[in-house]
């Protein structure tokens, strides 16, 4: 039987030592006390974190593509004696000395979401499913956000594309979906649907469910991982989700929640209570993990995460190979690492609780099973994928992080001519000679 952290764990943080359980479990208190700037971070951890860490974190704030935002709940789960190796700290707090040079093939909008968007915040890449981004904020910001081109406040190094909460903009998306009868699935992401009001959840959910050809919708939120107390204390929000779920049930359409946990230490007894509530409502909850170096890139970490999620009725759905996004090379792993992990994970849980390891190809080929490459050169780190059902006839290249390659090869990537050669070598292996 799995047991989850259930004491008043936040009291270990001096800044929260006087906080009662009732306060801590109140989502409004969590939002109000979230840390978004350097002075607040210092105030919260100055007595418990090593000085060098605090210094590096403050320097990190100005060098990251993502604004910082972290909840008291997450801050309480970090091991401040050794934040450098803490799986939660690594995901949310940038430190200057972690940062590594970007791969020369890296682009800000790696997945071509801006190019594949048919209206601001609506991406129609797969024939039968669409991705709708109604907002661009989250209850906490992951350093490695794949949508760092849009999500969160502008930072020193990235001026963001705005996808604000704007029912007028949404209308355009709904009209498009309505006029494309081939669409069956809509994923509502962002940003994070936790940050939509109850009224907006209902407006979006009802509108989409009432389109005859839409069969399934899912709301994406990292919230259950970063602030599970909202499920327990924001009655209006939960009621809104429930009413969308109930309309879906009446219409025989699926309404699901897709969430995002990366490490077992993000799961506590509060998560379990929140999940029990959602399970009693009959809401399907699936998880999408991002494979992160030093966070969940060992077999034991990934196995434990999958078992713990399954235990509280969260279905592990995907493990993503880290996208080629700016400023987080330290968190990327090679394709080889993902392949090894997948082998070690399969067989640990029920088959339906075993995640598919996918790579979302740069250039908009979509998600591919990590094992399905046409070619993979472990020396240069170049892998080639095809997506016959999405973009037939095209080839998509992914690049392992430089730190996973030999020194000579790393140097070769800095040379534009050799770079070109390494890419064409890979393509020569897969493109049939006419
Ligand atoms: C991931 C994604 C979807 C949903 O894909 P599933 O494999 O069904 O989870 C839809 N559209 C876009 C653009 C996506 O990236």
């Amino acid at each position: 039987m799995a047991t989850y952290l259930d004491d008043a764990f936040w009291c270990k943080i001096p800044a929260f030592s006087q906080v009662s359980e009732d306060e801590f479990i109140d989502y409004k208190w969590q939002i109000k006390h979230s840390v978004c700037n350097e002075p607040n971070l210092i105030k919260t951890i100055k007595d418990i974190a090593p000085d060098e860490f605090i210094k590096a974190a403050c320097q990190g704030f100005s060098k990251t593509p993502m604004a910082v935002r972290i909840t008291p709940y997450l801050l309480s789960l970090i091991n401040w004696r050794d934040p450098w190796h803490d799986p939660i700290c690594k995901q949310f707090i940038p430190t200057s000395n972690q940062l590594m040079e970007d791969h020369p093939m890296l682009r800000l909008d790696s997945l071509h979401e801006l190019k594949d968007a048919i209206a601001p915040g609506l991406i129609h890449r797969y024939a039968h499913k669409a991705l709708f981004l109604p907002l661009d904020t989250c209850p906490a910001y992951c350093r490695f956000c794949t949508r760092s081109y849009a999500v969160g406040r502008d930072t020193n190094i990235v001026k963001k594309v705005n996808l604000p909460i704007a029912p007028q903009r949404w209308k355009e998306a709904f009209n498009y979906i309505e006029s494309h009868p081939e669409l069956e699935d809509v994923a509502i992401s962002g940003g994070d649907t936790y940050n939509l009001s109850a009224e907006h959840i209902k407006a979006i959910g009802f509108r989409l469910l009432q389109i005859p050809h839409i069969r399934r919708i899912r709301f994406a939120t990292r919230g259950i991982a970063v602030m599970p107390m909202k499920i327990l204390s924001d009655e209006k929000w939960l009621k809104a989700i429930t009413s969308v779920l109930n309309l879906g049930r009446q219409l025989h359409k699926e309404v699901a929640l897709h969430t995002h946990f990366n490490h077992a230490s993000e799961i506590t007894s509060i998560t379990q209570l929140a999940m029990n509530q959602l399970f009693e409502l009959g809401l399907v909850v699936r998880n999408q993990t991002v494979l992160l170096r030093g966070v969940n890139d060992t077999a034991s970490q990934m196995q434990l995460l999958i078992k713990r999620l399954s235990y509280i009725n969260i279905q592990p759905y995907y493990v993503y190979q880290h996208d080629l996004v700016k400023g987080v090379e330290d968190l990327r792993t090679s394709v080889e690492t993902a392949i090894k992990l997948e082998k070690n994970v399969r067989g640990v849980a029920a088959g339906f609780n075993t995640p598919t390891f996918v790579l979302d190809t740069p250039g908009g080929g979509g998600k591919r099973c990590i094992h399905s490459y046409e070619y993979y050169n472990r020396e240069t780190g170049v892998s080639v994928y095809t997506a016959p059902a999405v973009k037939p006839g095209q080839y998509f290249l992914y690049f392992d992080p430089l730190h996973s390659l030999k020194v000579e090869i790393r140097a070769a990537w800095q040379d534009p001519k050799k770079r070109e050669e390494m890419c064409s070598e890979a393509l020569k292996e897969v493109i049939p000679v006419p």
Side-chain angles (χ1 to χ4, degrees):
M1 213 175 90
T3 51
Y4 300 94
L5 205 56
D6 67 350
D7 55 358
F9 53 86
W10 58 91
C11 292
K12 291 196 304 280
I13 311 285
F16 308 142
S17 63
Q18 302 303 314
V19 176
S20 70
E21 181 165 359
D22 284 348
E23 269 179 304
F24 195 76
I25 210 93
D26 178 0
Y27 78 101
K28 287 195 224 118
W29 186 89
Q30 289 287 329
I31 294 172
K32 192 166 163 214
H33 294 88
S34 289
V35 164
C36 316
N37 57 40
E38 297 154 61
N40 273 339
L41 182 71
I42 297 170
K43 205 170 86 188
T44 313
I45 63 170
K46 67 175 185 315
D47 296 325
I48 42 173
D51 289 341
E52 320 86 81
F53 176 83
I54 297 178
K55 198 167 143 227
C58 289
Q59 287 166 354
F61 268 69
S62 60
K63 295 186 178 149
T64 155
M66 287 304 290
V68 174
R69 183 173 186 91
I70 180 164
T71 56
Y73 172 71
L74 290 174
L75 287 165
S76 307
L77 293 173
I78 292 172
N79 172 14
W80 290 107
R81 280 189 303 266
D82 185 13
W84 302 108
H85 297 102
D86 184 274
I88 295 179
C89 190
K90 273 174 184 267
Q91 296 180 60
F92 293 95
I93 300 184
T95 53
S96 54
N97 49 357
Q98 268 171 336
L99 300 178
M100 290 179 177
E101 198 183 346
D102 286 337
H103 196 289
M105 300 306 283
L106 195 142
R107 306 284 172 270
L108 187 56
D109 172 27
S110 146
L111 302 182
H112 269 219
E113 289 189 342
L114 288 168
K115 285 218 178 94
D116 284 357
I118 54 87
L122 186 69
I123 298 135
H124 188 186
R125 171 173 305 147
Y126 305 96
H128 310 293
K129 43 195 188 188
L131 171 64
F132 174 42
L133 310 173
L135 78 170
D136 57 13
T137 64
C138 303
Y141 291 119
C142 310
R143 278 181 58 209
F144 49 91
C145 181
T146 189
R147 229 160 265 141
S148 58
Y149 66 83
V151 171
R153 303 185 302 278
D154 289 351
T155 68
N156 269 2
I157 64 165
V158 182
K159 171 102 183 72
K160 312 263 165 163
V161 173
N162 290 327
L163 298 170
I165 294 181
Q168 201 50 41
R169 171 171 75 84
W170 300 350
K171 215 182 229 174
E172 204 183 325
F174 299 143
N175 289 344
Y176 178 91
I177 294 168
E178 198 155 44
S179 63
H180 284 76
E182 72 276 22
L183 282 172
E184 290 195 2
D185 269 90
V186 183
I188 305 147
S189 187
D192 191 307
T193 52
Y194 237 45
N195 281 12
L196 289 172
S197 68
E199 284 68 32
H200 286 148
I201 291 282
K202 282 188 281 189
I204 294 171
F206 293 168
R207 177 73 172 90
L208 289 174
L209 286 174
Q210 275 152 356
I211 297 174
H213 52 267
I214 294 302
R215 302 294 307 159
R216 288 164 296 273
I217 64 171
R218 36 183 136 146
F219 289 99
T221 177
R222 176 93 149 112
I224 309 172
V226 304
M227 201 202 287
M229 36 289 279
K230 185 175 170 97
I231 306 291
L232 301 167
S233 58
D234 189 348
E235 254 173 67
K236 265 177 83 181
W237 192 86
L238 191 63
K239 259 198 182 142
I241 290 282
T242 308
S243 60
V244 176
L245 175 68
N246 289 341
L247 177 65
R249 194 173 285 136
Q250 265 173 35
L251 297 171
H252 310 133
K253 299 182 176 190
E254 186 190 81
V255 176
L257 220 56
H258 278 206
T259 190
H260 173 183
F261 286 81
N262 293 325
H263 192 276
S265 66
E266 294 160 22
I267 307 174
T268 65
S269 59
I270 305 175
T271 330
Q272 190 173 23
L273 286 174
M275 277 311 304
N276 288 350
Q277 182 127 8
L278 297 178
F279 193 72
E280 283 171 30
L281 292 174
L283 192 62
V284 170
V285 182
R286 303 190 185 95
N287 186 66
Q288 309 191 169
T289 294
V290 179
L291 176 54
L292 299 165
R293 179 168 162 265
V295 173
N296 56 17
D297 61 341
T298 67
S300 58
Q301 284 163 326
M302 196 57 90
Q303 289 171 353
L304 186 64
L305 173 64
I306 289 166
K307 287 168 78 167
R308 290 281 161 95
L309 288 170
S310 305
Y311 195 90
I312 55 172
N313 301 306
I314 298 178
Q315 190 181 345
Y317 175 43
Y318 280 147
V319 174
Y320 284 95
Q321 178 70 15
H322 199 305
D323 293 330
L324 284 157
V325 289
K326 223 175 144 80
V328 278
E329 280 298 89
D330 59 297
L331 291 175
R332 277 209 304 138
T333 68
S334 62
V335 165
E336 170 92 26
T337 302
I339 289 171
K340 276 194 190 145
L341 271 178
E342 199 279 343
K343 284 183 193 164
N344 279 289
V345 154
R346 191 158 293 278
V348 160
F352 49 79
N353 280 332
T354 302
T356 306
F357 282 60
V358 292
L359 182 150
D360 209 343
T361 66
K367 299 171 185 74
R368 314 308 303 160
C369 171
I370 195 80
H371 296 281
S372 72
Y373 54 79
E374 304 296 321
Y375 175 72
Y376 179 27
N377 184 330
R378 286 164 171 81
E379 287 272 309
T380 62
V382 180
S383 46
V384 185
Y385 288 84
T386 54
V390 183
K391 291 195 176 153
Q394 288 191 38
Y395 294 88
F396 301 93
L397 271 55
Y398 180 85
F399 306 94
D400 286 348
L402 297 182
H403 59 70
S404 69
L405 307 174
K406 289 205 190 99
V407 178
E408 318 83 85
I409 307 286
R410 268 186 240 175
W413 277 110
Q414 302 306 334
D415 177 340
K417 192 158 155 275
K418 290 187 183 153
R419 208 181 285 166
E420 180 70 41
E421 279 166 17
M422 288 186 279
C423 294
S424 50
E425 180 265 343
L427 287 169
K428 237 186 291 170
E429 293 294 326
V430 296
I431 297 182
V433 182

